[in-house]
Every structure is written in structure tokens, then in C-alpha cells.
Amino acid sequence: MKDMDLSREISYALRHAPWEYELEMDEEGWVPVEQLLDALHRTVKWSNICEADLKEMIEKSEKKRHELADGRIRAFYGHSIPMKILKEEKVPPDVLYHGTARRFLESINENGLLPQSRQYVHLSQDIETAENVGMRHDDKPCILIIDAKMAWNDGIKFYFGNEKVWLADKIPSRYIRKM
Ligand code: HQG
């Protein structure tokens, strides 16, 4: 599907490789839409893409991955680039969830939840979202319950991603239990 392809390519550009697209990204991850369109226009596949197509792709997508405002576009979460994207700190709900693979449990138990290749640990607002995240890694994913408010009270920072996705710094295993 065209929108899925486009979403994937834009996620790649905005989360992982802005330099490949010659994008000037600010500290909140925003880039000028014109710059992104110019880069996309260099490939035959996207030679006719315009801002309205980006808007439609974002609106149609089930996951809220990208935001378009004032001639700029950014990814809400998922970044792996060296420049740390500044996210808005926010008080988390009492609990959040994290869907993961069974094969990671031993290491998570030992080392806590780590951002791995991304800038932040990604947590889910609800169980269903966590299940979908976990399914990307394991056909029988494991859902972890994170005592987010307790961790926040102890000084661990949480950040707003979108309505379903929360971001956090490293979460020690004492705040994590299996569902
Ligand atoms: C695991 C997708 C071993 C962690 C999703 C996860 C999400 C550990 C994997 C967003 C570990 C990293 C992010 C430790 C964490 N030892 N494994 N100590 N700590 N892990 O893909 O959270 O569709 O980087 O459990 O829906 O799965 O791209 O993170 O399994 O919202 O928009 O290391 O990406 O969104 O995997 O997913 P990922 P994630 P999009």
C-alpha cells in the first residue's frame, strides 16, 4: 500500500537517517516539509508527492507516528539518531505497559528496560497497544506492567510520545512485573 510505504520511508528519514535526506532537524525533531518533499522528489516513486499526501497519510494511519504543523513535520517517537530529541516531560499514569519477547525477559530482569537502539524506552498506555508492540518481536509476546508513578516518584523521567506511546529513560527492574 502506498501510504504504508510512504509512512515507512518518512519514519526512516525522521527517526533514523535525516542526513540521507539532507534534512535540517531541530532539537524537537521538526524538519521543514519542503526539505522532506525535495528529498522524496529525487526518487521516481515519490516524484509526485505533495504536502496534502503527507497529511492524508498521517490522518489515515492507525498509529499516530508523525505530526505536521506550520510547514514542518516530525516523528512523535522512535528516534535513533545521535542528536537526542527533546521530549516533553510528563507525569505518567500509575501503570504503563510494555510488550516484549519471551527471549528478552531474562536480560530485562537483570538489566531493566533499556532504550536499546532508540533514544528512549517505549511504553504503552494500554494492554492492547503493548500486545501489538510485543507481536513485532514474538508471536506469544509477554506483557510487562511498569509501576510508572512509583518510578516517577523516585526520579525516573517520563515523556509524552502520543496518546498511546509513552517514552522514558532506563527503567530498573524493581518497577517491572510480569502480567
Ligand atoms: C527490548 C514501534 C533485552 C524491548 C512500536 C524491545 C513502539 C531489552 C526491544 C516503538 C532490554 C527493542 C518501539 C534488555 C529492552 N535486554 N532486551 N535489558 N530492554 N529490551 O523496536 O518498544 O510501528 O526498539 O523489550 O509499536 O518494541 O515503528 O522497541 O522488545 O511504539 O511506529 O528491546 O516502535 O512503533 O525493540 O518499539 P524496539 P519497542 P512503529
Side-chain angles (χ1 to χ4, degrees), residues 4-175:
M4 240 166 86
D5 265 19
L6 182 61
S7 175
R8 200 165 289 148
E9 176 132 13
I10 287 168
S11 287
Y12 175 70
L14 298 177
R15 292 173 176 180
H16 309 300
W19 48 85
E20 278 182 35
Y21 297 76
E22 292 171 42
L23 303 176
E24 293 165 275
M25 187 171 278
D26 76 6
E27 57 186 9
E28 293 178 329
W30 290 106
V31 307
V33 173
E34 278 308 315
Q35 274 182 12
L36 179 63
L37 290 174
D38 282 349
L40 291 172
H41 290 160
R42 277 180 233 133
T43 60
V44 180
K45 192 174 182 186
W46 305 124
S47 56
N48 292 317
I49 288 288
C50 64
E51 184 165 344
D53 297 318
L54 298 180
K55 195 161 175 256
E56 190 182 321
M57 180 272 290
I58 292 170
E59 277 165 8
K60 276 195 189 161
S61 169
E62 224 172 276
K63 283 190 180 182
K64 292 289 153 227
R65 296 185 172 98
H66 312 113
E67 183 178 17
L68 198 59
D70 306 323
R72 302 178 305 165
I73 186 167
R74 70 171 171 177
F76 279 122
Y77 58 88
H79 301 87
S80 70
I81 54 174
M83 181 187 81
K84 184 109 184 229
I85 300 297
L86 287 182
K87 299 302 297 181
E88 178 201 345
E89 276 185 46
K90 222 177 158 190
V91 183
D94 288 354
V95 298
L96 286 166
Y97 303 91
H98 180 82
T100 191
R102 289 164 290 175
R103 65 184 182 282
F104 298 152
L105 289 180
E106 203 183 309
S107 170
I108 291 173
N109 201 19
E110 207 165 295
N111 308 304
L113 271 176
L114 304 175
Q116 303 293 54
S117 64
R118 303 189 198 259
Q119 296 182 355
Y120 298 94
V121 170
H122 287 57
L123 302 170
S124 303
Q125 172 87 28
D126 55 70
I127 296 169
E128 191 192 345
T129 304
E131 271 164 357
N132 291 331
V133 175
M135 289 289 277
R136 292 161 48 258
H137 303 286
D138 190 343
D139 57 0
K140 288 202 186 77
C142 180
I143 307 301
L144 302 175
I145 303 173
I146 315 301
D147 285 319
K149 187 59 74 50
M150 211 191 280
W152 181 81
N153 279 329
D154 291 346
I156 292 168
K157 289 181 178 148
F158 289 77
Y159 312 84
F160 187 71
N162 67 22
E163 284 74 22
K164 301 240 169 112
V165 180
W166 281 78
L167 305 173
D169 295 333
K170 182 200 151 152
I171 313 260
S173 55
R174 62 180 173 281
Y175 304 108

